Amino acid sequence: MTKEEKQRVHDVLAEMLPKQWCDVLSIEDRLCVYLEGLVNSPEEHNAYELLGAVKFLRLLRTYEVDREGFRDVVMKYEGEWEERNGAWRHVDGGLKHPGNTGPTYYRLQPFQVFVLASMFAMRAWVSTEVRVGTRPLLPTEREGEDGYIYDLRRLCTEFTFYTPRKTAKTQLSAFIQFWFFMSGDENAECYCCANASDQAKILFNRSRDLIRQMDPHERRIRFTASQVNWKPGQFRSASLTALSAGGKTKDGLFAQLCSADEFGSASYVNGASDMGKLVSVVESSMGPRREPMTFISTTAGIIREGPFIDKLRGMKRLLEAELDPNAAHELSTDRQACLLLEPDEWEQQDEEVLLTSKLVRRKVNPMLGIIVQHSFYDDEIAKARQNPEKKNEVVSKLFNVYQTGRVQEWVKPEEVRAIQVERRIDDCTAAEGWLTFTGMDFSKGDDLNGCAFLSYNPNTGEFFGDMDVYVSEEAVNQSPIRELWHRWAAEEWVTIVPGKTFDPSWPVNRIMQLHQRGVDFITFGYDPYNAKTVVNAMTQWVFDMGADPKQVVVPVRQNFATYSPAVKEFDYMVKRSRDDGAGHRIADPLVHLSKNPLWPYCFGCVMLQESNDGMGNLKPVKRDNGAATKVDPVQMLLSALILYDAAESQIN
């Protein structure tokens, strides 16, 4: 979100809060302190944190409030406190948590009260889809006007706590586990899910220690290294279990709580994630539960793609809908809540700002000065300036900004310009001996869309690459490189499509025209994880032409294993040289590209990321996350090369 959009969010929140002040105050005064801080000091909070508060106030206005239930949650965490001479002193009850001087009682901070209020303070009438009269009503149910039975349930069923290290994340997560074990369903099953067994044990052990305070002599509860459960004959049968990704398939679960710890470090490997599978398995067992809960607590990781990154994007889209007065909010999405603590987008793009601004520190870490010191950040940053790998760790874990693994330079813009020639895809016809492979990317309807064509001539052994690029008019107007887009469009290198969204007929019609002109298309490749609108249109055209779409329109996965051979092959094709006979090496590239200025521009935006699995696989990634950074044509060109490699033996 831009600075202007953030200001709009702040204005909306500043207008809403006074109108609902009494309702907020009736829940907890620290909730007022938190929300008032967002309004009075927006520079210390990011745009999505403000949007989370806007959503909270809307939900508070829409659904019933369970004040007594929420206060019971707070009481179980902190017990009773009293204020004396401006300082709070613990009186009775509550749980002890680890501290520098031993187990200590802690009073919840305002942002933690917001987390718990988002999870426990609101209830909704949920349709059971059961007709009135078919069975007796339960104490929590009522007859609906539509003739169905409605049940009053906790509204929130999923909370995402996205936060850097040193914000008492594990402490809060452990308490969530404790609460469901002690106060959830009588037979609640609670699972600590993490990427590795040692990570799962960290959260499990903290939760186990909290539960042990209720039964230090183990008269009613049994404690083992990986499970806590009530002993036979007790009034409850709830359990707490540690699970790690990559283990055996978990069958027979009946989860009420899934705690996904450090979900943000889980990456996709060959298009899948063991941690993502584990969370899905646990969540899929929640079907019979009236009030399930998924609690995601994580910090950013040193990865480029993963299930939580997709989740984070989805959460941000949900929050952005709060600004749309015409948005149709649904119960299913209202049940998802979050607190996202990260720098604003324009700060994430400036590494020096991240490392030097104390305002950014306060924005990402509300525990600064409470449990973590400025000097800790100063020391870690000083170390990071001496070590690039340490810098990745500091930026991702202390500032909550995703970093990639090791990256390296690849084909430079000047090397691309050296292989550009006066030719277009229109010239690469079957009559001239050319065969064409096409990589497609139409994943974002309002952003850059297009095709990259890689033509191969068996008679000469030459490769040639060209592209067709489409971008919506609205995306151009909002782009920081709008002047470039307009210049490229005027020179007919780019097509600016009218309106807000992309019409799939543009590339399909273009490909049909090229085919009529004699371009011999062999295969078309697309990313199977992206939108299929254009793919479906292409499939229909191929079918109408009498070919088998499954053989012609094929998926090309954008992962390390698929891309790595093509990355190394293309590097050789560009940089190949030969002996001129006089003892000198001269350039002799295997591939040439069209004069389209997007080629050197996009290659200048690309870095190669090395996979984190130790296999040395490489894939192209964005040099940075700026809005002006475009790498899609490069990825499409590699997809076309992958298609050629798959068909090479048949061609020869």
Coordinates of all heavy atoms in Angstrom, one line a residue, residues 577-587:
S577 N 31.4 -18.7 -26.6 CA 32.4 -18.0 -27.4 C 33.2 -19.1 -28.2 O 33.1 -20.3 -27.9 CB 33.4 -17.2 -26.6 OG 34.0 -18.1 -25.6
R578 N 34.1 -18.7 -29.2 CA 34.9 -19.6 -29.9 C 36.2 -19.0 -30.2 O 36.4 -17.8 -30.1 CB 34.2 -20.0 -31.2 CG 33.9 -18.9 -32.2 CD 33.2 -19.3 -33.4 NE 32.8 -18.2 -34.3 CZ 33.7 -17.6 -35.1 NH1 34.9 -18.0 -35.2 NH2 33.3 -16.6 -35.9
D579 N 37.1 -19.9 -30.7 CA 38.5 -19.4 -31.0 C 38.4 -18.8 -32.5 O 37.9 -19.5 -33.4 CB 39.5 -20.6 -30.9 CG 40.9 -20.1 -31.0 OD1 41.2 -19.3 -31.8 OD2 41.7 -20.6 -30.2
D580 N 39.0 -17.7 -32.6 CA 38.9 -17.1 -34.0 C 40.0 -17.5 -34.9 O 40.2 -17.0 -36.0 CB 39.0 -15.5 -33.9 CG 40.3 -15.0 -33.3 OD1 41.1 -15.8 -32.9 OD2 40.5 -13.8 -33.3
G581 N 40.8 -18.5 -34.4 CA 41.9 -19.0 -35.2 C 43.2 -18.3 -35.0 O 44.3 -18.7 -35.5
A582 N 43.2 -17.1 -34.3 CA 44.4 -16.4 -34.0 C 44.7 -16.4 -32.6 O 45.4 -15.5 -32.1 CB 44.2 -14.9 -34.6
G583 N 44.1 -17.3 -31.8 CA 44.3 -17.4 -30.4 C 43.5 -16.5 -29.6 O 43.8 -16.3 -28.4
H584 N 42.4 -15.9 -30.2 CA 41.5 -15.0 -29.4 C 40.1 -15.7 -29.3 O 39.7 -16.4 -30.2 CB 41.4 -13.7 -30.1 CG 42.7 -13.0 -30.2 ND1 43.5 -12.5 -29.2 CD2 43.5 -12.7 -31.4 CE1 44.6 -12.0 -29.6 NE2 44.6 -12.1 -31.0
R585 N 39.5 -15.4 -28.2 CA 38.1 -15.9 -28.0 C 37.2 -14.7 -28.5 O 37.3 -13.6 -28.1 CB 37.8 -16.2 -26.6 CG 38.7 -17.3 -25.9 CD 38.5 -18.6 -26.6 NE 37.2 -19.1 -26.6 CZ 36.8 -20.3 -27.1 NH1 37.7 -21.0 -27.8 NH2 35.6 -20.7 -27.0
I586 N 36.2 -15.1 -29.3 CA 35.2 -14.1 -29.7 C 33.8 -14.6 -29.4 O 33.6 -15.8 -29.3 CB 35.4 -13.8 -31.3 CG1 35.1 -15.1 -32.1 CG2 36.7 -13.2 -31.6 CD1 35.1 -14.9 -33.6
A587 N 32.9 -13.7 -29.2 CA 31.5 -14.1 -28.9 C 30.9 -14.8 -30.0 O 31.0 -14.5 -31.2 CB 30.7 -12.8 -28.5

